[in-house]
Amino acid sequence: EISGYFSELLNDEDLYRHLNNSLKNIPEYGKEIKFAYGRRIGWYAFVRILKPKLIIETGVDHGVGSCVLTSALLRNKQEGFQGSYLGTDINIDAGRLLIKPYSSIGKIIYGDSIESLMKIKEPIDIFINDSDHSSEYEFQEYLTIEERISPDSIILGDNSHFTNCLSKFSKRTNRNFLFFKENPKNHWYPGAGIGISFKKNNF
């Protein structure tokens, strides 16, 4: 089932074309970019499996992750499961890739992510930390959402190859923690990964 969701994303020609062509028009990437989803494939699979009602991602940048997550939500919607995406970023130019159809179920709010998170009242089903990569700020985000996450929520840490914050938060809240390592092939970058925090009776 999981492999099927991986293939579903990799075979989504509309999404790939949108992201690949859009990134080539951003000067810091350039025309020679060879786009790859990397660990966002894992994000996509979590959304397809868990059918969340609300996804929060802190740190959007251009919006590649936003489009991947909302494309999964759109698939869920076709199957009768409603969900929405909310991204936060301090940069007012972030999220430029989140256009229709992906923006139909997702939006970006701008400002300090912790301040933005404090305003959220609905239960968060999937939370993705990908903003300020200092360990102090990352841990503060987790503390901010502690009372806002739903009982069966999943927290994904995009900084878990660098800090132990999500592991520490998981221990504090009696949750399990796993780390999924990405291993780029024939590339100078050693790879990051996905920290995964989940309730102990989920799996």
Side-chain angles (χ1 to χ4, degrees):
E1 182 181 2
I2 294 169
S3 295
Y5 289 137
F6 289 168
S7 297
E8 183 178 88
L9 173 61
L10 294 173
N11 291 321
D12 188 334
E13 294 182 2
D14 290 336
L15 176 61
Y16 182 85
R17 189 181 305 111
H18 165 57
L19 295 176
N20 192 52
N21 293 344
S22 298
L23 289 173
K24 284 182 177 180
N25 292 322
I26 296 174
E28 67 191 81
Y29 289 95
K31 302 295 182 182
E32 302 304 316
I33 183 175
K34 186 177 180 182
F35 174 73
Y37 290 107
R39 58 195 174 280
R40 295 184 187 91
I41 296 175
W43 297 6
Y44 182 91
F46 271 112
V47 177
R48 292 291 283 126
I49 292 165
L50 297 173
K51 308 294 190 284
K53 292 182 179 178
L54 178 61
I55 302 171
I56 304 288
E57 178 191 16
T58 61
V60 171
D61 197 20
H62 297 303
V64 174
S66 307
C67 292
V68 169
L69 293 164
T70 51
S71 68
L73 287 173
L74 286 170
R75 296 269 189 175
N76 289 349
K77 186 177 180 180
Q78 291 174 356
E79 297 171 358
F81 298 94
Q82 298 291 331
S84 62
Y85 164 89
L86 182 64
T88 75
D89 206 292
I90 200 165
N91 180 4
I92 60 172
D93 294 321
R96 66 183 76 179
L97 302 184
L98 188 65
I99 61 174
K100 290 184 178 180
Y102 313 106
S103 59
S104 65
I105 53 171
K107 66 178 182 178
I108 313 295
I109 55 175
Y110 299 98
D112 179 81
S113 66
I114 291 173
E115 293 179 6
S116 298
L117 291 171
M118 291 176 67
K119 297 174 184 176
I120 294 170
K121 305 302 181 185
E122 311 96 298
I124 302 169
D125 299 313
I126 294 182
F127 178 79
I128 301 173
N129 161 263
D130 191 16
S131 58
D132 185 321
H133 288 297
S134 70
S135 57
E136 295 83 4
Y137 196 91
E138 178 187 355
F139 195 70
Q140 190 60 45
E141 281 195 358
Y142 299 142
L143 293 179
T144 304
I145 65 161
E146 185 173 353
E147 300 302 321
R148 293 167 168 80
I149 52 178
S150 64
D152 295 318
S153 64
I154 297 289
I155 301 171
L156 304 180
D158 199 59
N159 206 29
S160 295
H161 61 291
F162 184 70
T163 77
N164 68 343
C165 291
L166 187 52
S167 173
K168 185 169 67 172
F169 178 77
S170 299
K171 186 174 182 180
R172 164 193 166 93
T173 53
N174 196 33
R175 296 166 67 90
N176 280 321
F177 175 80
L178 294 173
F179 181 69
F180 176 83
K181 178 75 169 64
E182 80 178 352
N183 293 297
K185 185 177 181 180
N186 301 321
H187 198 278
W188 59 267
Y189 181 58
I194 307 174
I196 307 163
S197 176
F198 58 96
K199 197 171 149 185
K200 288 197 171 179
N201 64 354
N202 273 14
F203 299 100

